[in-house]
Amino acid sequence: MAGIVVVFDFDRTIIDCDSDRWIIDQFDATKLFNELYSTMPWNSLVNRMVKEIQSQGRTIEEMADCLKQVPLHPQIITAIKSAHALGCDLRIVSDANVFYIETILKHHGLLDCFLEINTNPIFIDEQGRLTIHPYHDFTSSPHGCSLSCPPHMCKGKIIERIQDSFFSEGKKQFIYIGDGMGDYCPSLKLREGDYVMPRKNYPVWDLICSNKLLLKAEIHEWSNGDELEEKLLRLINTIIALDEEQSSSSSSSNSLPPICTHQPIIPQVPSS
């Protein structure tokens, strides 16, 4: 393994739209969504819209077929497959849900590239009806973070858990890629030697630019799929090259000079 953990947001990062809104718009539920938008937390609102869509007779299979139409930039696909091939540990931290994410990734042949997907869970009942649950149960066990995090998910706490899981495995460098307000908290959890890749002119970029000194990680912004691929793979290859250079230097410094096995020559003192 390369010793690099790459964490992706999903909506407007891996895909160039919002998967929740994609389903709502494609199934003509936008009007009701707009009416309820200011009255409910986002996760609860999305679940309400999914129930509405299903109450009109639309099936989970139809929703899956709709999700397969979500466009992915070809260079995003290349970036993910290349990072995986280079031995990086790829993970997703997203405020979408596991059904949407897995359906899209599997359709594009990317699901097996990711070791872990952290997102809102789902439940499918015996009638095939989908329910979306919050990642953090904000009624019984709130996450307690108010830093631009929605009540049902603190991505910063997820990143801290991932970081803690690597303590016993030695040094790991993190690259975090995201676009939204919820990606600001995990960006602040990154350490010196890590990298954050905010999408330029999106909410997380604005928050980071408001005070870059709050971040310990090195900042590498991106704007589109081409730029994300180029910058991500350059970072990964740079980290790998530096690690190889340090390993080579360490091996050289640890090598001992050859042991002298011959007997020392003792000069003869002439007799007086």
Side-chain angles (χ1 to χ4, degrees), residues 103-123:
T103 299
I104 294 170
L105 292 181
K106 187 174 181 180
H107 177 68
H108 290 277
L110 297 173
L111 184 58
D112 290 341
C113 292
F114 292 91
L115 185 64
E116 181 182 44
I117 297 174
N118 300 274
T119 188
N120 297 301
I122 59 127
F123 175 74

Side-chain angles (χ1 to χ4, degrees), residues 71-86:
L72 254 73
H73 194 293
Q75 301 313 119
I76 297 287
I77 296 174
T78 302
I80 291 170
K81 289 184 175 181
S82 298
H84 180 256
L86 288 167

Side-chain angles (χ1 to χ4, degrees), residues 112-271:
D112 290 341
C113 292
F114 292 91
L115 185 64
E116 181 182 44
I117 297 174
N118 300 274
T119 188
N120 297 301
I122 59 127
F123 175 74
I124 301 175
D125 66 18
E126 294 177 352
Q127 286 74 42
R129 291 174 299 200
L130 173 71
T131 301
I132 301 171
H133 294 280
Y135 185 88
H136 292 118
D137 188 341
F138 53 89
T139 56
S140 64
S141 55
H143 56 65
C145 177
S146 59
L147 186 65
S148 72
C149 297
H152 60 278
M153 174 174 283
C154 173
K155 293 185 178 183
K157 291 191 178 298
I158 297 172
I159 287 296
E160 286 180 324
R161 176 186 58 76
I162 296 173
Q163 288 172 327
D164 290 345
S165 70
F166 286 116
F167 276 158
S168 61
E169 298 183 22
K171 184 179 180 181
K172 292 278 185 177
Q173 287 177 275
F174 279 71
I175 302 173
Y176 187 93
I177 311 167
D179 74 285
M181 290 181 65
D183 297 307
Y184 183 59
C185 183
S187 299
L188 294 175
K189 305 297 183 183
L190 299 175
R191 300 161 184 170
E192 191 173 343
D194 292 336
Y195 303 87
V196 60
M197 296 183 62
R199 191 167 189 178
K200 194 172 182 179
N201 297 324
Y202 278 71
V204 71
W205 168 255
D206 294 335
L207 287 168
I208 287 174
C209 288
S210 66
N211 190 347
K212 292 184 178 181
L213 296 178
L214 293 177
L215 274 74
K216 297 178 182 177
E218 194 172 296
I219 302 167
H220 293 262
E221 74 276 7
W222 59 282
S223 298
N224 53 47
D226 292 313
E227 201 168 12
L228 186 148
E229 181 207 24
E230 188 271 325
K231 291 194 173 186
L232 175 61
L233 296 184
R234 188 202 312 159
L235 273 178
I236 292 170
N237 283 307
T238 298
I239 294 169
I240 292 173
L242 287 173
D243 285 346
E244 290 176 349
E245 182 180 329
Q246 290 173 358
S247 297
S248 175
S249 175
S250 176
S251 298
S252 299
S253 63
N254 288 335
S255 59
L256 297 174
I259 299 174
C260 180
T261 56
H262 63 269
Q263 293 295 320
I265 299 174
I266 303 175
Q268 297 294 318
V269 179
S271 55

